[in-house]
Amino acid sequence: MQFLTVMTLLLIFQLSGELLVLSWDLPVPGPVLGMMLMFLVLLFKHKVAHQMRPATEQLLSHLSLLFIPAGVGVMVHVVRLEQEWIAILVAIFLSTLIGLLVTAWTMQLMMKLLHSKDIK
Amino acid sequence: MQTHSAIWVYLSASPLWGLTLTLVCYLLALKIYRQANHHPLLNPVGWSILMIITVLVVGDISYPSYFSGAQFIHFLLGPVTVALAIPLFFQLEKLKKVWLPLSVALVVGMTVSGFSAYFIAQALGASEQTMLSMIPKSVTAPVAMGIAEKTGGLPTLTAVFVVMTGIFGAFIGTSLFKLFRIQDDTVKGVAMGVTAHGLGTARSFQVSPEMGAFAGLAMALAASLSAFVLPVVLSLLKSF
């Protein structure tokens, strides 16, 4: 599928998501609802998923680039960061460490629990 | 020939330079990162941000002026979020096998990441708005900003926290797993995706395709679930 076609499809789903969020006042961001809609459609249209794959893989391979403009926004918050930098840095570093470990441990534990149930 | 100031007046009114600056810095940082064999200290996002800020400070250029160009890149976060449906679809078979451990780990992981930050920030005397902006920090940026808007955080501040979390998660992830002897690539991928979103996923793909796929899967699922889970947990906490 042509890159332009893929982009158009993605935008149509995003727009549908945004419209649903607005008209029903949903608590989800529009693009997320768009993703869920697209996932549902793909379940019935496997061929479309295969056709979209190369172009979306290209797009997703530079996912980290898309975070840069928002990251530069740190400039705007210089005053807050100057006042609260210790709290912010410690909170982010520690919680990321805790988050990584707790997620991995929970997943490990759940897999072990379910596995031992299978044996019985 | 035009004078320098005339050229500057033209350029500063055009979104072109902000867009070009972002791409040039990213490609440069990416090149250095690849040549240094993906050394975690050379994270291309972190260094691009530093380079761009340096240019803006030296040139006395405001963030809104830069963003008028960079918004064309920022805008893509929406369609790219939608595009996560495709890798999610191709992990369907694996997803069916591990959906239960994965969903429990997902809800526990994103709640713990968000609210541990909230409480640590509170304990260290951060302002209410900073604390609230931290809750969705493990979720990919467009979704996190959407959640922040709905829970009383500051979306642009949340975006900054999201990027910091991603860079730090990508930096520490693999060595942390080694230290605690967590070896299963599925488990490691899920932890990276839930905790460090897109930047954690990018890092996971460098370790193994399986770890990357599961990180992407976990990130996409976290993106769709967090919008429901995090505001509910917050309102439960507030009712106590």
Side-chain angles (χ1 to χ4, degrees), chain A residues 37-84:
Chain A
L37 287 174
M38 175 154 249
F39 184 73
L40 283 179
V41 171
L42 293 181
L43 291 179
F44 299 100
K45 298 263 180 203
H46 290 198
K47 208 177 139 206
V48 178
H50 285 278
Q51 285 171 332
M52 290 183 78
R53 194 175 192 174
T56 47
E57 269 174 1
Q58 271 259 316
L59 207 56
L60 288 169
S61 70
H62 287 294
L63 188 62
S64 47
L65 163 69
L66 311 186
F67 292 98
I68 294 172
V72 177
V74 72
M75 284 174 77
V76 180
H77 299 289
V78 155
V79 175
R80 182 187 298 266
L81 290 170
E82 264 172 11
Q83 285 164 352
E84 305 182 32

Side-chain angles (χ1 to χ4, degrees), chain B residues 29-51:
Chain B
L30 195 63
K31 198 173 172 178
I32 296 169
Y33 180 60
R34 283 183 177 154
Q35 268 177 358
N37 227 340
H38 303 282
H39 193 285
L41 274 180
L42 290 173
N43 181 292
V45 176
W47 283 100
S48 305
I49 293 171
L50 277 178
M51 279 191 258

Side-chain angles (χ1 to χ4, degrees), chain B residues 66-184:
Chain B
Y66 158 77
F67 195 78
S68 72
Q71 64 175 329
F72 295 105
I73 294 169
H74 180 78
F75 172 80
L76 287 174
L77 280 167
V80 164
T81 304
V82 179
L84 286 173
I86 285 110
L88 199 60
F89 171 81
F90 284 105
Q91 297 300 324
L92 200 59
E93 287 310 309
K94 282 187 195 164
L95 181 62
K96 278 179 189 161
K97 279 181 208 148
V98 293
W99 72 272
L100 189 55
L102 179 58
S103 12
V104 176
L106 202 67
V107 174
V108 172
M110 71 189 171
T111 309
V112 167
S113 315
F115 288 93
S116 59
Y118 179 94
F119 289 117
I120 294 168
Q122 188 179 44
L124 295 173
S127 65
E128 174 93 6
Q129 210 168 29
T130 299
M131 287 155 52
L132 285 172
S133 304
M134 277 194 175
I135 294 170
K137 76 183 177 67
S138 280
V139 188
T140 188
V143 181
M145 292 171 84
I147 297 173
E149 212 162 86
K150 282 170 172 140
T151 54
L154 212 60
T156 57
L157 190 62
T158 296
V160 170
F161 293 159
V162 168
V163 177
M164 286 170 77
T165 303
I167 291 173
F168 185 63
F171 174 57
I172 198 163
T174 42
S175 14
L176 194 70
F177 296 141
K178 211 173 271 171
L179 186 67
F180 285 90
R181 296 206 175 79
I182 296 163
Q183 279 150 351
D184 188 337

Side-chain angles (χ1 to χ4, degrees), chain A residues 17-46:
Chain A
E18 309 270 15
L19 287 176
L20 283 178
V21 166
L22 279 176
S23 47
W24 289 345
D25 202 18
L26 299 172
V28 208
V32 173
L33 202 64
M35 176 187 73
M36 292 159 118
L37 287 174
M38 175 154 249
F39 184 73
L40 283 179
V41 171
L42 293 181
L43 291 179
F44 299 100
K45 298 263 180 203
H46 290 198

